[in-house]
Amino acid sequence: MSDHSRTSLLTGRIGAICVLAFAVAYGIGASRIDYSFSSDPLGPRAVPLMLAAVLGVLALFYLRSPGSSEGFPTGTLLLRVLAVPVVLVASVAVFEPAGFAASIFLLTLGTGLIFGAPPLKALIGAAGHAALWWVVFDWLLEVYLPVGALFS
């Protein structure tokens, strides 16, 4: 077996293990949903538990025979791949103090910059994206969106 195919199998299996871990965590989270308020006999946990089970089974199939996949990213691409979850965590961290709009703005701006958007276009896109979702959720759907402790 060549080094490329071994690396490809390893990459696929590591991906499958990550997906399996996510499925288990999602299933645990779904099993903790309290449904004393629901009149539905299945309750609100049924669909998330089914999704977790399907995802887990598919991850096990992929773990058994991963097929071909790309190798691990290196260099600049690896930094960009790792920067995406960092931006996501930063966005979640500012959600409570800065609110929904600032969180979405940061997420969109960071992701745009990571994927090579020019800074001005990333700023404009992030502002438009945050405004769009604010209008959709707050005005059209009338869902309460937190403005954040800094702005209230």
Side-chain angles (χ1 to χ4, degrees):
M1 185 178 282
S2 71
D3 282 344
H4 176 69
S5 61
R6 273 191 207 129
T7 303
S8 179
L9 289 174
L10 179 64
T11 303
R13 288 199 168 112
I14 289 173
I17 290 168
C18 291
V19 171
L20 183 60
F22 176 77
V24 169
Y26 187 70
I28 290 170
S31 70
R32 293 184 178 170
I33 295 174
D34 183 25
Y35 63 95
S36 60
F37 60 87
S38 177
S39 61
D40 182 10
L42 292 176
R45 358 174 142 156
V47 171
L49 283 173
M50 286 187 285
L51 286 174
V54 168
L55 187 61
V57 168
L58 292 174
L60 288 172
F61 278 128
Y62 194 64
L63 182 64
R64 187 173 151 264
S65 82
S68 64
S69 63
E70 295 293 320
F72 283 110
T74 58
T76 306
L77 181 58
L78 178 61
L79 292 175
R80 288 172 50 190
V81 167
L82 294 175
V84 171
V86 170
V87 168
L88 179 61
V89 169
S91 173
V92 170
V94 302
F95 186 81
E96 192 171 324
F100 174 83
S103 178
I104 291 298
F105 176 83
L106 176 66
L107 179 64
T108 306
L109 176 66
T111 304
L113 293 173
I114 289 168
F115 284 100
L120 181 61
K121 287 184 179 181
L123 275 169
I124 293 169
H129 191 233
L132 169 75
W133 289 113
W134 186 271
V135 167
V136 168
F137 283 116
D138 194 55
W139 292 353
L140 298 177
L141 299 175
E142 297 181 357
V143 173
Y144 169 75
L145 295 175
V147 293
L150 296 174
F151 302 113
S152 60

